Structure formats: structure tokens, C-alpha cells
């Protein structure tokens, strides 16, 4: 069972009040940390089914449960939302949350479509709210140290970045492999390789790739090359 941490009342006003949009499995990676953080107050969770939301809220000790995502966005006390919906719903609900006055942490990948990414960040700028794609590794002290070392010349001149990320997955109906939910190797784990390469190399000048498509119709293997300035 998850036990909420008792916090000093003097810190209550400084806590950011959060809601979670969906009851996805990935939430279990962030809820325990939210409960113990002195910067977070996890107020609510939403599902498309009220009973599911209530059961989930009871299991994870979340005070409020909503039977629709819109109901959670209408809660005036919630300041920020974590969106852990399927890939195809990321941009739509990020924009709806921003327009409802919430800051947004959207699970990766935000989208495979550049125009949709532009629309989401345009909405953030228009509403004066923060939108961030949930690549948590970028906020790790180890990552900051890597950037510091590379930029400081610890390895000399950066000429090549090689990266690989893989695991075995063969369930055709798994959400990570479904075409209708924008699944596939590149979207699920390859996005980390792209993000990490861009973190060190900047914005690529040219990009090309090759995919092998499995029985699900999505890419089960993807390899790519990014050419950076210099």
C-alpha cells in the first residue's frame, strides 16, 4: 500500500496541485514519488469510467476521482496535469488541458506529427502555461553532468553519437505495437535515442532511417541516422 507523507502545514501553499489524466500502467512509476514529494499534492485522477477512477483512486490514495477527463480539467483547484493517455491522444488532451488553464506534463512521445507539436506549444504560449514532454532522464543529475563534460571538452570534439534501446515485445495487441495508437519501436523507445542525440548534438540538418515492420503493422525494428551541424 502507498502511504501519503505528512507534510508541514507551512509548505502546503507552495505545493503544486496535480491531477492525472488516465489510469494507465505508467502512472505507477510516478505516483509514489508524487506522494513523497514536498513540491507535489496529487489531488485527482480521471478515467472514462467513474467506477474505474474510484477504484484506482482508492488503491493509490488519491482524494478525488472523476469519470471523465473533462471533469478533472474543470476542477479549479488542479493547477497541473500529467497526461498518460495513448500516443494518439497526447496532443488533443494537452491542448484541452492548457486551454482549461492547467500546466501540462505529457507522457512521451508527444506526437510524430510536427504540425501537431507546433499546435500544442502554440497553445501553451497562447494560454501562458507550461507544456513539457515527459523525458524524465533529461532532469537527472547524471544527464546534466554528461552535458557539462561534453560541452567542457572532456572527450575532445564530439564527432559521433551511437545509441541503442531495445527489448523483446511480441504481443500483437499490446498498446506499444498497435498502428491505431501510433505504436512501434521508434515511438516507444527510439524517441529516447533521438532526444539524447539532440541533447548533445543540437538540431539535425538531415535525417534518414530504415524500418522493419512486424506482424502488427508497426515498426518492430528501426534504425536511423541524424546529421548534425559540423
Amino acid at each position: 500500500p502507498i502511504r501519503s507523507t505528512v507534510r508541514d502545514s507551512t509548505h502546503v501553499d507552495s505545493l503544486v496541485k496535480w491531477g492525472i489524466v488516465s489510469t494507465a500502467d505508467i502512472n505507477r512509476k510516478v505516483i509514489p514519488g508524487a506522494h513523497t514529494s514536498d513540491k507535489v499534492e496529487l489531488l485527482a485522477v480521471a478515467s472514462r469510467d467513474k467506477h474505474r477512477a474510484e477504484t484506482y483512486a482508492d488503491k493509490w490514495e488519491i482524494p478525488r476521482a472523476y469519470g471523465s477527463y473533462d471533469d478533472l480539467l474543470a476542477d479549479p483547484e488542479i493547477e497541473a496535469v500529467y497526461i498518460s493517455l495513448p500516443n494518439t491522444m497526447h496532443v488533443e488532451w494537452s491542448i484541452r488541458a492548457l486551454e482549461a488553464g492547467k500546466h501540462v506534463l505529457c507522457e512521451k512521445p508527444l506526437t510524430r506529427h510536427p504540425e501537431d507539436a507546433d499546435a500544442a506549444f502554440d497553445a501553451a504560449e497562447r494560454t501562458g502555461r507550461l507544456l513539457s514532454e515527459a523525458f524524465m532522464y533529461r532532469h537527472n543529475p547524471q544527464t546534466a553532468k554528461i552535458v557539462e563534460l561534453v560541452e567542457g571538452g572532456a572527450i575532445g570534439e564530439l564527432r559521433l553519437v551511437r545509441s541503442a534501446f531495445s527489448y523483446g515485445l511480441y504481443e500483437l495487441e499490446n498498446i506499444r505495437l498497435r498502428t491505431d495508437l501510433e505504436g512501434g519501436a521508434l515511438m516507444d523507445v527510439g524517441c529516447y535515442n533521438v532526444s539524447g542525440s539532440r541533447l548533445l548534438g543540437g538540431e539535425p540538418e538531415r535525417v534518414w532511417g530504415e524500418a522493419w515492420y512486424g506482424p502488427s503493422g508497426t515498426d518492430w525494428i528501426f534504425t536511423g541516422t541524424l546529421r548534425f551541424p559540423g
Side-chain angles (χ1 to χ4, degrees):
I2 302 301
R3 293 178 174 82
S4 299
T5 301
V6 177
R7 303 180 177 94
D8 189 309
S9 60
T10 58
H11 296 298
V12 171
D13 291 339
S14 65
L15 299 176
V16 178
K17 298 176 175 62
W18 284 80
I20 300 179
V21 180
S22 101
T23 56
D25 182 63
I26 191 66
N27 294 348
R28 64 186 171 84
K29 299 288 190 179
V30 299
I31 291 176
H35 278 315
T36 59
S37 173
D38 60 0
K39 299 179 180 179
V40 171
E41 182 177 6
L42 183 52
L43 277 188
V45 63
S47 172
R48 290 172 295 179
D49 179 88
K50 178 72 169 177
H51 177 69
R52 183 187 300 139
E54 290 173 341
T55 302
Y56 193 88
D58 182 63
K59 174 184 177 181
W60 290 102
E61 296 189 359
I62 301 173
R64 304 174 193 175
Y66 291 104
S68 78
Y69 308 141
D70 282 317
D71 287 347
L72 184 146
L73 297 183
D75 186 330
E77 285 194 73
I78 294 175
E79 301 169 286
V81 295
Y82 170 54
I83 296 178
S84 52
L85 293 164
N87 294 342
T88 49
M89 303 172 73
H90 284 176
V91 169
E92 174 191 355
W93 285 97
S94 289
I95 292 175
R96 292 175 75 157
L98 291 164
E99 292 178 341
K102 316 301 183 187
H103 301 292
V104 174
L105 177 64
C106 182
E107 188 50 60
K108 63 83 196 167
L110 179 64
T111 176
R112 68 164 74 235
H113 307 290
E115 63 276 13
D116 288 345
D118 286 341
F121 283 97
D122 285 348
E125 185 174 347
R126 183 175 67 252
T127 59
R129 294 296 183 267
L130 299 176
L131 168 62
S132 183
E133 190 176 22
F135 280 112
M136 66 85 182
Y137 84 92
R138 283 199 172 209
H139 303 276
N140 191 297
Q142 290 177 313
T143 304
K145 188 64 176 179
I146 289 171
V147 174
E148 175 189 330
L149 290 170
V150 171
E151 292 182 348
I155 64 169
E157 182 182 359
L158 179 65
R159 300 300 297 272
L160 179 67
V161 178
R162 285 196 180 102
S163 63
F165 193 170
S166 66
Y167 64 94
L169 178 62
Y170 306 97
E171 302 165 13
L172 300 186
E173 291 303 311
N174 189 291
I175 189 174
R176 295 170 179 83
L177 293 180
R178 287 174 54 179
T179 56
D180 58 326
L181 297 177
E182 293 196 347
L186 177 61
M187 292 290 278
D188 186 35
V189 291
C191 58
Y192 282 105
N193 304 83
V194 175
S195 176
S197 298
R198 289 176 58 233
L199 177 65
L200 298 174
E203 291 304 308
E205 297 175 325
R206 296 199 304 275
V207 177
W208 62 97
E210 187 86 19
W212 178 79
Y213 293 88
S216 64
T218 52
D219 55 306
W220 286 29
I221 300 174
F222 191 99
T223 182
T225 302
L226 292 79
R227 171 65 182 263
F228 294 97

